[in-house]
């Protein structure tokens, strides 16, 4: 009961209030005035918001692939019989323990000062809209791959050893054992890791804020936009930066719906793949 009460007070009630406020114009909760769907019309007409959505989707897809490939490769390497595996697992996992804001500012310094100094005459990656996305992807992978790696390690260690020994006796090589035995038997692990990576990438905020804060600016449809502004940062800048609380709340509701649809679709497809495998 205490846990349920905390969940209702801390999540369900604010969520329901937030959905209701998205149909209102307000500066505080008490002076909210119902305006229908006008906030949703403004949100969908917002060129910057649409740009942020597609930019976030691109980042999520690329991040999903890169993080899971790196994490699975590390998990395969660190489940072999070799010395120091526990030490290496700890080292790769440690970046996930560092706060995203702190991590972002540290890497911002690296990109702006260290990397530029090492490569004489070069300019920072963060001044180029395309390379800035790569910079955020590098940091995100460095921070999150170790966490996903630990889940893959757990999955790989759960594969029965007698099955692996039987495949070895039957003459299966390493690649055949991986593709025909290990991957199918940890299909549920892939579902979990893909889900976590996808949701985390869509919700990316702290690294985006600390590394680029949406910069640099580019012209889109005749309007200046923050070229590296993800959805979460766009919502924050709308509500907090511009004091447009109603519009920011509306964008947050849209963001929730998009994230729910994407995540549920991914889980459904992954579950079907598990059965096929």
């Amino acid at each position: 009961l205490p846990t349920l009460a905390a969940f209702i007070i801390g999540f369900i009630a604010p969520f329901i209030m937030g959905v209701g406020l998205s149909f209102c114009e307000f500066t505080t909760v008490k002076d909210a005035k119902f305006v229908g769907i006008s906030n949703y019309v403004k949100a969908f007409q917002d060129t910057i918001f649409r740009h942020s959505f597609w930019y976030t989707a691109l980042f999520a897809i690329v991040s999903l692939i890169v993080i899971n490939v790196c994490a699975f490769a590390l998990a395969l390497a660190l489940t072999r019989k070799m010395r120091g595996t526990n030490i290496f697992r700890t080292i790769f996992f440690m970046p996930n323990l560092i706060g995203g804001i702190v991590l972002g500012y540290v890497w911002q310094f690296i990109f702006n000062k260290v990397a530029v100094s090492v490569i004489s005459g070069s300019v920072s990656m963060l001044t180029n809209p395309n390379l800035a996305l790569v910079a955020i992807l590098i940091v995100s992978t460095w921070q999150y791959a170790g966490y996903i790696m630990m889940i893959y390690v757990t999955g790989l260690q759960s594969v029965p050893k007698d099955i692996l020994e039987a495949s070895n006796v039957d003459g299966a090589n390493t690649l055949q054992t991986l593709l025909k035995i290990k991957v199918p038997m940890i299909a549920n692990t892939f579902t979990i890791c893909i889900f976590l990576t996808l949701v985390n990438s869509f919700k990316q905020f702290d690294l985006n804020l600390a590394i680029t804060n949406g910069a640099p600016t580019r012209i889109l449809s005749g309007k200046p936009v923050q070229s590296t502004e993800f959805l979460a940062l766009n919502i924050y800048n709308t509500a907090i930066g511009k004091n447009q609380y109603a519009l920011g709340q509306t964008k947050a509701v849209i963001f929730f719906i998009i994230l729910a649809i994407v995540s549920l679709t991914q889980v459904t497809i992954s579950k079907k793949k598990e059965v096929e495998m």
Side-chain angles (χ1 to χ4, degrees):
L1 183 60
T3 305
L4 178 61
F7 180 70
I8 292 173
I9 295 171
F11 181 80
I12 298 297
F15 175 76
I16 294 174
M17 290 178 62
V19 173
L21 288 171
S22 68
F23 295 96
C24 301
E25 189 66 42
F26 64 94
T27 52
T28 66
V29 176
K30 294 182 179 180
D31 67 358
K33 296 180 181 179
F34 183 76
V35 293
I37 63 171
S38 61
N39 288 328
Y40 286 90
V41 174
K42 291 179 183 178
F44 285 113
Q45 290 178 342
D46 188 346
T47 304
I48 300 174
F49 182 64
R50 295 200 303 269
H51 167 76
S52 295
F53 167 74
W54 292 114
Y55 198 81
T56 305
L58 173 64
F59 173 79
I61 293 171
V62 177
S63 181
L64 172 68
I65 297 170
V66 174
I67 290 177
N68 279 278
V69 168
C70 292
F72 189 64
L74 289 172
L76 286 175
L78 297 178
T79 49
R80 296 178 178 274
K81 294 181 180 180
M82 56 180 288
R83 289 184 178 181
T85 54
N86 290 333
I87 296 175
F88 284 113
R89 289 177 191 175
T90 303
I91 292 172
F92 287 123
F93 181 77
M94 282 180 64
N96 189 67
L97 303 178
I98 305 174
I101 295 294
V102 174
L103 200 64
Y105 282 123
V106 170
W107 275 92
Q108 184 194 68
F109 174 81
I110 293 173
F111 288 127
N112 286 336
K113 302 296 182 181
V114 179
V116 173
S117 298
V118 172
I119 307 174
S120 179
S122 68
V123 295
S124 172
M125 294 175 64
L126 306 184
T127 61
N128 184 301
N130 298 321
L131 293 180
L133 178 64
V134 176
I136 300 173
L137 179 64
I138 291 171
V139 183
S140 179
T141 303
W142 185 78
Q143 180 189 29
Y144 205 58
Y147 175 73
I148 299 299
M149 173 202 72
M150 294 302 294
I151 301 175
Y152 280 127
V153 166
T154 303
L156 290 170
Q157 289 179 335
S158 68
V159 178
K161 293 183 179 180
D162 55 343
I163 296 179
L164 297 177
E165 291 172 357
S167 68
N168 188 42
V169 172
D170 290 340
N173 58 37
T174 303
L175 182 60
Q176 290 174 327
T177 301
L178 174 64
L179 298 179
K180 300 296 184 180
I181 297 176
K182 290 183 178 180
V183 170
M185 295 197 72
I186 64 168
N188 61 331
T189 304
F190 282 101
T191 299
I192 295 170
C193 291
I194 292 173
F195 171 78
L196 291 174
T197 310
L198 185 64
V199 172
N200 182 73
S201 299
F202 255 98
K203 295 193 304 179
Q204 185 60 259
F205 173 75
D206 46 8
L207 291 180
N208 189 202
L209 175 67
I211 296 176
T212 65
N213 195 24
T217 301
R218 66 165 43 156
I219 303 300
L220 183 66
S221 300
K223 295 181 179 180
V225 300
Q226 295 285 77
S227 59
T228 63
E229 185 180 69
F230 293 160
L231 273 175
L233 183 59
N234 178 268
I235 294 169
Y236 171 83
N237 287 335
T238 300
I240 307 302
K242 300 178 182 177
N243 294 325
Q244 296 178 349
Y245 300 112
L247 184 58
Q249 179 60 46
T250 303
K251 289 181 178 180
V253 173
I254 296 173
F255 184 31
F256 169 80
I257 294 172
I258 292 172
L259 191 58
I261 292 173
V262 170
S263 57
L264 289 174
T265 302
Q266 177 267 314
V267 171
T268 301
I269 294 174
S270 296
K271 286 293 182 183
K272 289 182 179 179
K273 291 292 183 181
E274 286 181 27
V275 176
E276 293 174 3
M277 296 175 70

